[in-house]
Amino acid sequence: MHHRRIGAGRGPALFLLHGFASSGAFFADMAGRLSHHYDVIMPDWPGFGASSIQAPLASIGDFAKAALCLADQLQIQRFFVLGHSMSGFVVQQLLLEHADRLHGAILYGAGLKVHAARRFESLEETLRRLESLAPAELARDTIRHWLAQPEANTDLFDACLRAAQGMTRQAAVHAVRAFAQADYTGCLDQVETPALIILGEAERSHPPSSALELQRALPHSHLAILPFSGHAAHLEQPVLFERALLAFLQAGQSLP
């Protein structure tokens, strides 16, 4: 699995896991700043980004295993992990089955499951559109729903589009089907790992109501809702996003 790694040896490892219609490049600017104090790893899931030639993963469990396999390959025993959007489900799987590998978890633009009535479109509609649209066209249509003010932030829109390059139709279909089946409702009450739930107030994939449910489900969690931002809050509000993220990471480092 292709990955980018910057800041090796400068601090604890931090995995940044991208979501649907994206790649590790989605985090490039933020990762550069974080790399002054953290060992930042940004994988491209199979079928996405620079991993486009690899066979896609079929389940959330497969995604979680792929992340652990990469950590093992890099000889990283414990790490922080951030999962954006669909990778929020990957993080929840890691919290349930591999908490011993985690210092802490960040769930960004995530929920316990996909609520059809809350998402900008149903997953069934996304799958139908995948039948007729090229992956790049679907990515463009999807990303239009990510920014709080897309018309005023064309540079951010273009950055998201560039990160989406490489997604294959097969990988997109497998990913949508995988997170359509994900539902962690009632599963997380025994999780002891510290968690940060962070999102923009204009989130349209997993809106604030979903974030509140996720916070109630995780016993040791904190919630940060950022103003004037949506599904790409780390791009729209980088200062606020990174302030909340760093506060969480630094608190996690002080724990035994």
Side-chain angles (χ1 to χ4, degrees):
M1 185 165 63
H2 181 271
H3 65 278
R4 302 165 185 83
R5 184 180 190 181
I6 53 175
R10 295 181 187 171
L14 169 61
F15 280 73
L16 303 178
L17 307 181
H18 70 84
F20 182 71
S22 195
S23 69
F26 185 57
F27 301 112
D29 289 346
M30 180 175 73
R33 293 184 290 270
L34 293 173
S35 69
H36 295 295
H37 302 287
Y38 294 92
D39 178 7
V40 184
I41 300 100
M42 297 165 284
D44 290 350
W45 293 123
F48 294 83
S51 297
S52 59
I53 63 171
Q54 296 182 331
L57 303 172
S59 70
I60 298 300
D62 289 341
F63 280 92
K65 289 175 185 175
L68 288 173
C69 184
L70 178 58
D72 291 342
Q73 176 187 328
L74 298 175
Q75 298 184 327
I76 296 171
Q77 179 58 34
R78 295 191 72 200
F79 51 90
F80 289 100
V81 60
L82 178 152
H84 179 242
S85 194
M86 74 171 187
S87 284
F89 297 129
V90 181
V91 171
Q92 290 174 74
Q93 190 71 25
L94 291 170
L95 285 168
L96 283 176
E97 296 188 346
H98 303 283
D100 60 313
R101 301 291 300 270
L102 303 181
H103 293 302
I106 303 97
L107 298 113
Y108 169 22
L112 292 166
K113 64 179 183 178
V114 177
H115 289 269
R118 298 177 187 174
R119 191 171 184 263
F120 60 87
E121 69 176 12
S122 70
L123 295 178
E124 291 76 12
E125 179 60 24
T126 301
L127 286 172
R128 282 196 296 271
R129 293 198 299 118
L130 268 169
E131 295 175 359
S132 58
L133 293 179
E137 293 178 283
L138 179 74
R140 178 179 290 274
D141 287 352
T142 299
I143 291 166
R144 290 188 193 282
H145 299 280
W146 288 8
L147 302 174
Q149 296 180 304
E151 300 83 3
N153 290 292
T154 56
D155 55 336
L156 300 185
F157 182 80
D158 290 343
C160 292
L161 278 180
R162 288 193 295 274
Q165 292 176 2
M167 180 177 71
T168 67
R169 188 188 307 276
Q170 187 183 23
V173 169
H174 276 71
V176 172
R177 288 176 175 167
F179 65 77
Q181 297 173 7
D183 186 351
Y184 291 86
T185 304
C187 298
L188 305 174
D189 56 330
Q190 300 301 310
V191 171
E192 297 184 359
T193 307
L196 172 66
I197 300 151
I198 188 166
L199 72 159
E201 64 177 354
E203 172 71 56
R204 297 185 64 196
S205 296
H206 296 282
S209 55
S210 293
L212 287 166
E213 290 170 354
L214 188 52
Q215 185 195 23
R216 287 194 291 267
L218 283 166
H220 304 283
S221 63
H222 305 273
L223 176 64
I225 300 178
L226 307 182
F228 311 111
S229 57
H231 202 52
H234 77 289
L235 297 175
E236 295 174 279
Q237 293 292 337
V239 174
L240 294 178
F241 189 99
E242 290 169 37
R243 186 176 295 165
L245 176 60
L246 286 170
F248 174 76
L249 294 173
Q250 289 163 6
Q253 287 175 248
S254 67
L255 295 174

